[in-house]
Amino acid sequence: MRTICIINLKGGVAKTLTAVNMAHILATVHNRRVLLIDNDKQGNTSKMFGLHSYDEKSVSDLLTEKNPDLDEIIADTRYKFLDLIPANMNLLDANKMTMIDSSWQRETRFKKALQPISGDYDYCVIDNAPDINIGIINALVMSDDIIIPIKIDPFAFDGLKELQRHIDSVKEDLNPELCLMGCLVTCYSRNDVNAQGEEHLRTQLKYPVFATHIRRTEKADESTFATMPILEYSPRCGAARDYQSFVREYLEKLSDSDTNHKKK
Ligand SMILES: Nc1ncnc2c1ncn2[C@@H]1O[C@H](COP(=O)(O)OP(=O)(O)OP(=O)(O)O)[C@@H](O)[C@H]1O
Ligand SMILES: [Mg+2]
């Protein structure tokens, strides 16, 4: 199972839209077995699949239970190859409780809990809250790849340095294989501000950036109201096509790095 962490300290940059659509495209276009984890108390990813509830187990139980019952926590979605671990506001207390309970290691709880099912999935995609908390550190510890969605606006790059610092510290202490795959420009409009912002990211800040950007499309916003993945809501719209190109680019990057690895 290859785990992808969708993260940015900033809110409203399309983390959830990216996580949901990446997972849906991997599962329905590429026929990969995908586990999507909602790691945000807002539960927006869970709502997208009609799986937001206080009656069922959720991601919180991965933090608070020593031997969580994964059959109870992992929910089926209406897509054959796509399963979901939902979230709700209980995650707020679960994060707090994890911080005060040092009787077992706090940072590796997701990783240990999900070890038994890692052979059941090809990919795990994690949608995170715009924050750094112990749940998000757990997500970084179990991840292979990081993708940072960025919406170009006057404050687009705020928090990137702080995020990088947290990534570096997880890499150093707990997960040396963690790789920043790239920033993904979302909500892209064809104007000077967006072109300059993207250029600044590539050349001045020197972050890896995906060649694909996701165009701002009203259909994308509508798809969240309709709680449907964009490819199902409006398969021919710009954002649906861009998300498919982005997933193809991600898979190509993976196979390139695999080839380079083997050559060494
Ligand atoms: N390509 C796009 N075109 C138009 N609207 C978009 C696009 N991508 C995202 N949006 C809209 O931007 C808003 C924020 O998206 P989303 O909820 O995915 O962001 P987020 O980073 O997960 O937010 P939060 O930090 O609150 O979790 C939503 O209303 C969504 O519909
Ligand atoms: Mg979100």
Side-chain angles (χ1 to χ4, degrees), residues 15-16 40 42 44 127-128:
K15 293 181 294 299
T16 297
D40 182 352
Q42 298 181 93
N44 293 347
D127 177 28
N128 291 288

Side-chain angles (χ1 to χ4, degrees), residues 115-175:
Q115 202 94 55
I117 49 91
S118 69
D120 297 347
Y121 296 96
D122 300 305
Y123 293 96
C124 172
V125 180
I126 311 179
D127 177 28
N128 291 288
D131 200 357
I132 286 288
N133 54 41
I134 192 66
I136 294 175
I137 298 292
N138 267 265
L140 287 168
V141 169
M142 73 166 280
S143 291
D144 299 288
D145 303 320
I146 295 172
I147 292 172
I148 307 179
I150 292 193
K151 184 172 158 187
I152 305 289
D153 64 25
F155 314 111
F157 310 121
D158 289 1
L160 273 184
K161 260 196 202 141
E162 288 75 9
L163 178 58
Q164 180 77 58
R165 194 161 48 75
H166 284 284
I167 294 170
D168 289 345
S169 113
V170 168
K171 240 178 119 133
E172 208 170 297
D173 300 335
L174 294 153
N175 184 6

Side-chain angles (χ1 to χ4, degrees), residues 6 8-21 40 42 44-45 127-131 149 151 185-188 214-225 230 238-240 242-243:
I6 312 290
N8 189 330
L9 299 185
K10 275 180 66 73
V13 297
K15 293 181 294 299
T16 297
L17 219 80
T18 300
V20 165
N21 288 298
D40 182 352
Q42 298 181 93
N44 293 347
T45 287
D127 177 28
N128 291 288
D131 200 357
K151 184 172 158 187
V185 175
T186 60
C187 291
Y188 184 88
I214 312 296
R215 277 167 283 178
R216 177 191 295 277
T217 316
E218 250 174 54
K219 297 276 178 204
D221 208 18
E222 289 170 24
S223 75
T224 60
F225 279 98
I230 185 79
D242 295 341
Y243 271 116

Side-chain angles (χ1 to χ4, degrees), residues 41-239:
K41 63 182 183 312
Q42 298 181 93
N44 293 347
T45 287
S46 312
K47 289 172 192 165
M48 287 296 284
F49 294 93
L51 290 167
H52 184 260
S53 159
Y54 285 93
D55 300 328
E56 306 291 338
K57 297 228 166 203
S58 69
V59 69
S60 314
D61 297 281
L62 297 183
L63 287 177
T64 54
E65 285 188 24
K66 251 194 173 154
N67 291 302
D69 183 345
L70 295 177
D71 284 341
E72 284 186 5
I73 294 174
I74 299 176
D76 293 339
T77 68
R78 55 186 180 274
Y79 307 99
K80 184 173 162 205
F81 290 139
L82 179 55
D83 291 345
L84 175 84
I85 297 186
N88 56 40
M89 285 288 166
N90 291 342
L91 189 53
L92 196 60
D93 282 344
N95 269 303
K96 268 200 223 155
M97 277 156 66
T98 307
M99 280 317 291
I100 51 180
D101 169 18
S102 58
S103 63
W104 48 300
Q105 200 180 0
R106 289 185 278 232
E107 296 85 358
T108 53
R109 295 184 185 185
F110 281 5
K111 188 176 172 176
K112 284 190 182 137
L114 295 172
Q115 202 94 55
I117 49 91
S118 69
D120 297 347
Y121 296 96
D122 300 305
Y123 293 96
C124 172
V125 180
I126 311 179
D127 177 28
N128 291 288
D131 200 357
I132 286 288
N133 54 41
I134 192 66
I136 294 175
I137 298 292
N138 267 265
L140 287 168
V141 169
M142 73 166 280
S143 291
D144 299 288
D145 303 320
I146 295 172
I147 292 172
I148 307 179
I150 292 193
K151 184 172 158 187
I152 305 289
D153 64 25
F155 314 111
F157 310 121
D158 289 1
L160 273 184
K161 260 196 202 141
E162 288 75 9
L163 178 58
Q164 180 77 58
R165 194 161 48 75
H166 284 284
I167 294 170
D168 289 345
S169 113
V170 168
K171 240 178 119 133
E172 208 170 297
D173 300 335
L174 294 153
N175 184 6
E177 301 296 316
L178 187 62
C179 165
L180 172 53
M181 267 310 219
C183 300
L184 173 68
V185 175
T186 60
C187 291
Y188 184 88
S189 302
R190 231 156 35 124
N191 57 31
D192 288 350
V193 173
N194 271 263
Q196 284 161 12
E198 207 175 335
E199 187 62 15
H200 181 72
L201 197 58
R202 274 181 222 282
T203 56
Q204 305 295 310
L205 302 180
K206 299 199 166 62
Y207 283 96
V209 183
F210 282 91
T212 311
H213 49 222
I214 312 296
R215 277 167 283 178
R216 177 191 295 277
T217 316
E218 250 174 54
K219 297 276 178 204
D221 208 18
E222 289 170 24
S223 75
T224 60
F225 279 98
T227 60
M228 281 165 83
I230 185 79
L231 193 57
E232 207 167 87
Y233 182 76
S234 178
R236 281 200 296 275
C237 78

